Amino acid sequence: MSAARFEPAGPLRGNYEPPADKSISHRAALFGAMSDEPVSIANYLDAADTRSTLDAVLRLGAGVEDEGHGRVLIRGVGLHAPLETTGGRLDVGNSGTLLRLLPGWLAGQPGGEWVLDGDESIRRRPVDRIVAPLRQMGARIDARDDRLPPLTVHGGELHGTRYELPMASAQVKSCVLIAGMLADGSTTIVEGRQSRDHTERILARSRVPFERDGLTITVSQVDELELDAIAVPGDPSSAAFMVAAACLVPDSRVVIQNTGLNWTRCGFFRIAQRMGAVILADLEEPGEFSDVEPVGELDVAHGPLLGTEVAPEEVPAAIDELTLVALLGAFAEGDTVVHGAGELRHKESDRIAAVVDGLTALGADIEATDDGFAVHGDGSPLRGGTIDARGDHRIAMLGAIAGLASRDGVEVLGMDAAAISYPAFERDLRRLLGT
Ligand code: S3P
């Protein structure tokens, strides 16, 4: 396991472009693989998770060509095409998104049988959340203890259904929408709270018949996708680490360019603004929808922060950044409390435990609650110490940012986990620090 030390440093200054969006890259590769015509993807994320998706579509018979300059061409096999490998093991690595989205496609391929498995962390990620709706659609699918990977998908005929999501999950929603394209009739999914809508946007771009009425989405069976080239914007979840660093390290000012500003992904920026963070941005408005992803700039400067309460309705749009809310809370004046975020226990690590134990070791006054955490800050910096990433890319990067803003520095155990979503994280950070 690699360790890295992050000493107090700064300010962060300059322009910066985050790596490509992980969620959108996964979807672009999968929808490319389901298309009949080749799809060129500009700015495809080059990271461990999204390489797992390219490897999986290659195993399923799609072509993947590196066109240079971050562009990848996918030669798909079509939505209903007999997939080249009608059986075998697909390694999803560390990717929960691949684990949950791909079965939606495979379940509708009569005659095929695949086993999806991955690393130690993936084996702890629940899949009953996709097994239930897929079975309701007629799929034959087995999981270890009916709940965990490895997951065996036996392809077959699917039937349209109506499914109410028991939890806010874009992955489950996306799995059902993908299966819905193969199922007879129409398939309706009802969300309790709005989760990221990248799949809906790519469905619209692929000219798949679907309707959206508030939190109810209906997709109908289609024969083929009509997908043109896709340009992947920068990842707001990766940018969030530099935003947090610029907020916390005195005298910092960073302009973040070419970042996705989709409303369903930008909850963290709104929460940070409410805490008093100086973030100028043209964030998308709630309810806006188009078949393209909004892209723009964030202009961030250091400033004092105040504690805040995060309500359950705000959680899905900030789900991957809630640990950074805890970090900001540890430097803010007053209490920061996050409610309705029990889903954090099912991420790459149990993120409630990882952030509470991790920040406690760095000197924060933070406690876990049933569905989130509460941090008590007095406006002074964290002391520092050692934090264990627990194999979780987002906890590793959080530790690094905590170190820069701390009094004594932070040692991150397992820093190499950052390569799951952001291989150039340390390089980009050093550039903004001018070191
Ligand atoms: C993702 C959805 C979220 C998020 C994950 C990526 C996606 O997971 O945490 O990092 O790309 O759809 P859930 O659907 O489990 O909330």
Side-chain angles (χ1 to χ4, degrees):
M1 183 165 62
S2 68
R5 220 187 136 70
F6 295 86
E7 298 293 352
L12 292 91
R13 291 269 169 165
N15 293 349
Y16 153 82
E17 215 175 285
D21 192 288
K22 182 157 82 68
S23 279
I24 299 173
S25 293
H26 283 303
R27 288 160 172 79
L30 291 174
F31 275 74
M34 293 188 282
S35 296
D36 293 283
E37 297 296 323
V39 175
S40 177
I41 309 170
N43 197 30
Y44 186 82
L45 175 65
D46 184 13
D49 252 18
T50 43
R51 271 198 293 276
S52 294
T53 297
L54 293 183
D55 288 345
V57 301
L58 268 169
R59 288 281 323 273
L60 293 167
V64 175
E65 290 167 27
D66 181 352
E67 298 189 299
H69 307 288
R71 200 177 262 282
V72 171
L73 184 81
I74 309 282
R75 293 188 188 279
V77 293
L79 199 51
H80 301 276
L83 300 173
E84 196 163 277
T85 56
T86 49
R89 185 175 177 279
L90 296 167
D91 184 0
V92 304
N94 188 252
S95 175
T97 304
L98 181 58
L99 174 70
R100 271 68 169 264
L101 266 59
L102 185 54
W105 186 26
L106 300 179
Q109 306 298 327
E113 184 178 309
W114 296 270
V115 178
L116 281 79
D117 202 359
D119 67 11
E120 198 198 320
S121 147
I122 217 77
R123 286 204 163 195
R124 294 192 297 266
R125 311 282 304 269
V127 288
D128 41 351
R129 51 186 59 203
I130 59 163
V131 168
L134 289 176
R135 279 189 185 151
Q136 193 174 307
M137 297 175 80
R140 277 208 304 132
I141 181 160
D142 309 310
R144 182 166 52 99
D145 299 332
D146 232 20
R147 157 179 99 74
L148 295 166
L151 181 71
T152 305
V153 183
H154 313 267
E157 303 290 342
L158 299 180
H159 314 294
T161 194
R162 177 185 168 88
Y163 190 71
E164 297 194 8
L165 275 180
M167 78 289 289
S169 169
Q171 292 176 351
V172 179
K173 170 176 67 174
S174 302
C175 175
V176 176
L177 290 173
I178 291 170
M181 296 193 291
L182 294 145
D184 58 23
S186 60
T187 299
T188 297
I189 181 127
V190 186
E191 290 195 276
R193 290 181 195 134
Q194 171 77 63
S195 65
R196 64 190 67 190
D197 65 3
H198 304 308
T199 301
E200 293 88 308
R201 292 183 196 236
I202 204 165
L203 284 171
R205 281 191 71 116
S206 307
R207 298 188 193 89
V208 174
F210 89 101
E211 279 167 41
R212 189 165 127 137
D213 177 13
L215 296 176
T216 303
I217 307 154
T218 300
V219 66
S220 301
Q221 191 174 35
V222 273
D223 286 330
E224 64 180 272
L225 307 183
E226 291 173 49
L227 187 55
D228 302 327
I230 300 176
V232 181
D235 195 323
S237 299
S238 299
F241 293 97
M242 303 308 179
V243 170
C247 289
L248 295 177
V249 176
D251 291 330
S252 295
R253 167 101 191 258
V254 177
V255 176
I256 297 170
Q257 297 168 317
N258 187 30
T259 186
L261 295 177
N262 180 319
W263 185 88
T264 65
R265 284 293 295 285
C266 289
F268 171 66
F269 305 134
R270 295 189 289 271
I271 294 164
Q273 283 173 332
R274 197 165 72 222
M275 295 175 83
V278 185
I279 304 177
L280 301 178
D282 200 5
L283 304 179
E284 201 184 28
E285 293 295 321
E288 274 185 39
F289 181 77
S290 110
D291 64 356
V292 290
E293 294 283 347
V295 180
E297 245 176 46
L298 297 165
D299 188 343
V300 192
H302 168 257
L305 300 174
L306 291 172
T308 193
E309 288 217 16
V310 175
E313 306 77 73
E314 294 181 279
V315 162
I319 187 72
D320 291 338
E321 293 73 59
L322 291 174
T323 50
L324 285 173
V325 172
L327 181 67
L328 294 192
F331 285 78
E333 177 94 51
D335 292 349
T336 297
V337 187
V338 170
H339 303 277
E343 273 295 303
L344 287 179
R345 298 210 183 271
H346 307 297
K347 297 297 175 188
E348 286 83 332
S349 65
D350 172 344
R351 284 195 181 143
I352 294 181
V355 78
V356 169
D357 296 349
L359 291 182
T360 300
L362 304 185
D365 181 359
I366 177 168
E367 69 211 10
T369 61
D370 283 350
D371 63 351
F373 46 78
V375 199
H376 318 282
D378 63 7
S380 55
L382 281 178
R383 179 191 68 226
T386 300
I387 185 167
D388 185 345
R390 303 187 179 189
D392 186 331
H393 54 131
R394 300 203 197 278
I395 300 296
M397 293 186 277
L398 170 137
I401 303 304
L404 300 184
S406 69
R407 206 184 61 203
D408 300 340
V410 169
E411 171 107 348
V412 181
L413 304 179
M415 192 61 216
D416 48 352
I420 291 293
S421 61
Y422 196 167
F425 171 74
E426 288 182 73
R427 187 203 65 195
D428 287 355
L429 198 54
R430 276 198 301 275
R431 206 179 52 72
L432 287 171
L433 290 166
T435 54

